[in-house]
Amino acid sequence: MLQRLCVLIPAKDEGLVMARTIKSILAARVLASDIYVVDDGSADDTSSVARRYEVSVLRNCKNIGKARSIKRAVQYFQLIKRYRLIALMDADTQVSGNYFKEVKKGFGNDDGIAVVCGQVKSVPYNWLTAYRAFSYAITHMIYRGGQENMGVITVAPGCAATYRTAAFARLDWSNDTLVEDMDVTIQVHRKKLGRIVYRRKALVYTQDPRTIRDYVKQLTRWHTGTFQIGIKHKMLTGLAKIDWEYKFLMGEGLFFALWFTLMPL
């Protein structure tokens, strides 16, 4: 008989934050026996920290990338055969106590739902994380609900999203883009695997860049990856609803980038 839900955490050099992440999952009433960690060739104590909490740990001898690590762990632990839902979480992410309860409500008894994602919040630290928190708030207040209603959610956040295993089994987890979370989200649309649902009360707390340098690196990766997705899935020329949403968001981003650049003039 399939068990209800498991949590899979891909991690690399996350020994400093791994304990907090696992504690938050346990506090949200997930058993340690249903938590799995794949250590992608860490040089620190990521694996040993995870094992202290009696969760299952798979260690890659060398770094193979997040997407391939997820694929390897799912196959190694036979998660698709054993569970109905796979909740993916980053190692620097914490969840609210009711997170998994809300996620399960999102799926309900509707087999037509492929993915459920929650509301991402930034862990406070300085003015930069405060700006990111404001950005997240605007995104969820204005965009996410509308995207859900129209069936055009473009990204189920990589920091925390839960997949029905029937849909997960048909996803191609590869490292050919810099944003594997957006890649598999677009695959859900392209392959018509089911709806993507947003649960506002399923709160996720993630650690965002705390320096300008790290912030720029992250944005560069995100935007480069977004262009890669557009090319890979032919979204710039596609005419489906998700393609128009992609073009709208890219156009909006270009407009505001030019606007801020020209403000001094």
Side-chain angles (χ1 to χ4, degrees), residues 132-147 198:
R132 178 55 66 79
F134 173 75
S135 175
Y136 285 152
I138 295 297
T139 297
H140 289 286
M141 181 172 63
I142 297 177
Y143 291 106
R144 192 64 78 186
Q147 286 185 327
Y198 165 60

Side-chain angles (χ1 to χ4, degrees), residues 103-123:
V103 165
K104 291 175 183 177
K105 283 183 179 178
F107 281 101
N109 296 316
D110 188 346
D111 291 337
I113 296 174
V115 186
V116 171
C117 52
Q119 180 177 177
V120 180
K121 291 181 173 289
S122 182
V123 176

Side-chain angles (χ1 to χ4, degrees), residues 101-234:
K101 180 180 179 180
E102 287 295 325
V103 165
K104 291 175 183 177
K105 283 183 179 178
F107 281 101
N109 296 316
D110 188 346
D111 291 337
I113 296 174
V115 186
V116 171
C117 52
Q119 180 177 177
V120 180
K121 291 181 173 289
S122 182
V123 176
Y125 182 76
N126 57 16
W127 67 270
L128 198 55
T129 58
Y131 170 76
R132 178 55 66 79
F134 173 75
S135 175
Y136 285 152
I138 295 297
T139 297
H140 289 286
M141 181 172 63
I142 297 177
Y143 291 106
R144 192 64 78 186
Q147 286 185 327
E148 180 194 18
N149 290 335
M150 296 178 65
V152 291
I153 289 179
T154 53
V155 184
C159 62
T162 303
Y163 297 77
R164 189 180 296 279
T165 50
F168 191 102
R170 296 182 58 189
L171 297 174
D172 177 24
W173 292 86
S174 63
N175 290 342
D176 57 355
T177 73
L178 296 175
V179 284
E180 81 293 326
D181 51 356
M182 187 176 186
D183 186 7
V184 295
T185 303
I186 301 304
Q187 287 183 47
V188 171
H189 291 287
R190 286 288 192 253
K191 298 178 181 180
K192 302 185 186 305
L193 301 182
R195 302 198 314 278
I196 301 174
V197 171
Y198 165 60
R199 295 292 292 185
R200 181 177 59 84
K201 293 182 180 180
L203 301 180
V204 179
Y205 302 90
T206 188
Q207 183 173 293
D208 285 301
R210 299 178 175 184
T211 66
I212 291 292
R213 181 178 181 182
D214 288 342
Y215 183 78
V216 170
K217 285 172 61 178
Q218 185 187 67
L219 286 184
T220 300
R221 180 174 65 84
W222 283 358
H223 290 304
T224 302
T226 300
F227 276 108
Q228 290 176 329
I229 294 298
I231 295 171
K232 177 178 179 178
H233 295 285
K234 300 179 180 178

Side-chain angles (χ1 to χ4, degrees), residues 27-131:
R29 299 185 179 182
V30 174
L31 299 176
S33 58
D34 292 324
I35 302 174
Y36 301 86
V37 174
V38 52
D39 180 351
D40 191 20
S42 296
D44 66 358
D45 60 348
T46 294
S47 291
S48 59
V49 170
R51 289 191 177 100
R52 292 175 197 165
Y53 296 90
E54 299 182 347
V55 305
S56 300
V57 179
L58 171 65
R59 176 175 167 79
N60 298 334
C61 294
K62 61 180 181 178
N63 176 251
I64 62 174
K66 182 179 178 181
R68 290 178 182 171
S69 293
I70 290 172
K71 181 178 180 179
R72 180 172 184 245
V74 168
Q75 293 175 342
Y76 181 84
F77 292 117
Q78 297 185 323
L79 301 184
I80 290 175
K81 294 181 179 179
R82 296 169 52 206
Y83 294 93
R84 291 180 59 196
L85 305 173
I86 298 177
L88 294 181
M89 282 184 54
D90 282 347
D92 60 355
T93 297
Q94 300 171 58
V95 296
S96 59
N98 69 333
Y99 176 78
F100 295 106
K101 180 180 179 180
E102 287 295 325
V103 165
K104 291 175 183 177
K105 283 183 179 178
F107 281 101
N109 296 316
D110 188 346
D111 291 337
I113 296 174
V115 186
V116 171
C117 52
Q119 180 177 177
V120 180
K121 291 181 173 289
S122 182
V123 176
Y125 182 76
N126 57 16
W127 67 270
L128 198 55
T129 58
Y131 170 76

